[in-house]
Amino acid sequence: MTQATPRRANRREFVARLLAGVPDALVITGLGSATYDVFAAQDRDHNYYLWGAMGGAAPMGLGLALAQPDRPVVVITGDGEHLMGIGSLATIGAKQPKNLTVVILDNGHFGETGMQRSHSSLGTDLVAVAKGFGIADAFTVDTLAGCDDVVHRIQARAGVAYAQIFIEADEPPRALPPRDGPFIKNRFRVALGLQPF
Amino acid sequence: MSPSSTTAPAWQEAVFKVLKQGGVRQIAYVPDAGHSHAIRSAIADPDIEDIVLTTEEEGVALVCGAWLGGQRAVLLMQSSGVGNCVNMFSLLQAADFPFFTLVTMRGEYAEFNPWQGPMGKATQAALELMGIHVLRVSHPDEAEEIISAGFDAAFEAGEKVAVLLGQNLIGRKKWERN
């Protein structure tokens, strides 16, 4: 089966442009390459990097978005991580948090484990799935310039949005953020002005 | 809808009382009859977000996201859901998040359905294997104290706590429809 689209963005360029456009957004990253992409673009106190908990990025973003309704929240994850927790899109569709945007970096493969093909290059249409779960503002992006549409949605906080980004199935150099979960948790909370218990 | 407070068992009212007085702002759940009062109360409360999940492990990640954003959130589920959560419990340990869940038990007392047995009997051990402290309520008159004790351990000391609501507390499930 051929790829669904011939045009694809470079993942590192895309994520760098996205983060540059949303300086105040709270970001949750899914394990694997999405975590590396976000760290490579810009390490910020209000990034939360997952190194495990596969399938958990989107529901974690939902809990954060409900807790911080006045801040834009962005989940940036890969197609494989996302598919493991795909039901969480139904949960997000039920809640419709206006300040949450889910960004899927879709290379159609499990990049971390040897580039095995994933469902999104074997027949799954993620935008149709998102729409089916009640997320009306779901769309694809296949160019770097298309990043600006995603930035606009994030900044507007006018409704939950879902962006499937077709990216090249390459393997950029590793860029490894801290693996110390309590450190990145506490750093994140301090950035929001929250106190220790 | 008639006020649920007039019909729910006292121990179910104690559950929501502890959560509300403890400042919980998000209640995530996969439904169970034993949680019905807390779920109804959450839906009716303008200060609490009720979040229905497709599977329980979503709730583990969701309550961590809420804590990251400064809110207390709890997970309500049935014992079968604990099995769905096992790998996601890693998040609690790896990042040391506070965690509080209430688990209605099946498969342990006057159980009618054999399909509830395997996970029900493994629930406490599965939680403990993943580093979660387990408390249990068996009698209605101890419900508020034990639930409150677990809640405080979670949100005052940062512990990961599950309170099992025993099947003998909940009562026998009625299988006949009249």
Side-chain angles (χ1 to χ4, degrees):
Chain A
M1 191 180 134
T2 56
Q3 301 291 351
T5 174
R7 278 205 306 193
R8 288 181 176 265
N10 176 276
R11 63 186 309 149
R12 287 281 162 91
E13 291 175 0
F14 186 92
V15 171
R17 182 159 167 167
L18 182 73
L19 289 178
V22 296
D24 297 326
L26 308 176
V27 175
I28 305 278
T29 70
L31 87 176
S33 299
T35 281
Y36 314 147
D37 293 337
V38 169
F39 177 73
Q42 191 184 4
D43 186 30
R44 313 188 296 185
D45 289 353
H46 48 290
N47 292 346
Y48 194 86
Y49 308 110
L50 287 168
W51 279 86
M54 188 164 175
M60 194 168 186
L62 175 60
L64 176 60
L66 293 173
Q68 289 283 330
D70 296 330
R71 293 284 291 267
V73 173
V74 187
V75 172
I76 302 176
T77 191
D79 47 296
E81 197 276 347
H82 179 53
L83 282 157
M84 186 172 281
I86 197 72
S88 62
L89 271 189
T91 303
I92 290 168
K95 292 305 293 183
Q96 298 285 325
K98 286 183 162 53
N99 58 329
L100 178 63
T101 303
V102 179
V103 176
I104 309 302
L105 302 172
D106 184 1
N107 61 7
H109 291 76
F110 294 96
E112 191 67 13
T113 54
M115 280 293 170
Q116 299 87 355
R117 293 182 72 178
S118 82
H119 306 68
S120 64
S121 64
L122 294 168
T124 296
D125 178 343
L126 287 173
V127 165
V129 169
K131 288 186 174 181
F133 279 140
I135 301 174
D137 189 10
F139 57 99
T140 60
V141 175
D142 60 8
T143 64
L144 181 60
C147 185
D148 298 344
D149 294 334
V150 186
V151 167
H152 174 74
R153 253 74 159 213
I154 294 167
Q155 295 295 74
R157 289 189 287 122
V160 62
Y162 181 93
Q164 179 187 17
I165 320 301
F166 290 112
I167 56 162
E168 297 157 1
D170 60 351
E171 294 182 90
R174 293 262 196 233
L176 305 182
R179 296 182 297 286
D180 182 339
F183 167 73
I184 52 176
K185 174 195 68 176
N186 291 329
R187 185 176 74 160
F188 192 106
R189 283 172 52 90
V190 168
L192 288 177
L194 299 169
Q195 301 298 313
F197 60 75
Chain B
M1 198 177 77
S2 62
S4 55
S5 58
T6 57
T7 56
W11 68 265
Q12 286 203 27
E13 293 185 353
V15 169
F16 188 72
K17 182 181 172 191
V18 170
L19 303 183
K20 179 67 179 171
Q21 290 184 349
V24 167
R25 300 292 304 281
Q26 299 185 36
I27 296 180
Y29 62 94
V30 172
D32 185 56
H35 292 307
S36 56
H37 174 74
I39 293 168
R40 276 198 307 270
S41 302
I43 291 168
D45 191 322
D47 295 326
I48 296 177
E49 293 281 357
D50 62 289
I51 301 111
V52 61
L53 309 167
T54 69
T55 179
E56 293 82 356
E57 65 263 38
E58 291 172 14
V60 178
L62 182 136
V63 300
C64 293
W67 179 256
L68 212 49
Q71 288 191 347
R72 292 178 174 186
V74 302
L75 172 59
L76 311 181
M77 60 178 156
Q78 192 182 120
S79 48
S80 50
V82 170
N84 291 345
C85 292
V86 170
N87 182 57
M88 200 64 80
F89 286 149
S90 306
L91 177 58
L92 308 176
Q93 298 291 335
D96 196 18
F97 279 103
F99 179 66
F100 186 67
T101 185
L102 289 160
V103 181
T104 47
M105 293 302 296
R106 293 290 304 272
E108 63 171 19
Y109 182 85
E111 179 57 66
F112 171 88
N113 180 354
W115 300 73
Q116 291 283 359
M119 192 64 233
K121 289 174 182 65
T123 294
Q124 179 163 353
L127 288 162
E128 289 173 344
L129 276 170
M130 293 308 294
I132 295 169
H133 182 52
V134 177
L135 301 174
R136 172 182 280 271
V137 178
S138 299
H139 303 289
D141 55 2
E142 67 187 12
E144 184 171 344
E145 171 57 26
I146 292 175
I147 294 164
S148 174
F151 185 90
D152 286 350
F155 292 112
E156 302 295 339
E159 289 192 31
K160 303 101 184 65
V161 181
V163 177
L164 308 185
L165 303 171
Q167 201 168 3
N168 52 350
L169 171 76
I170 297 164
R172 294 174 185 243
K173 182 165 176 143
K174 307 264 190 313
W175 285 96
E176 302 79 18
R177 287 191 197 281
N178 296 318

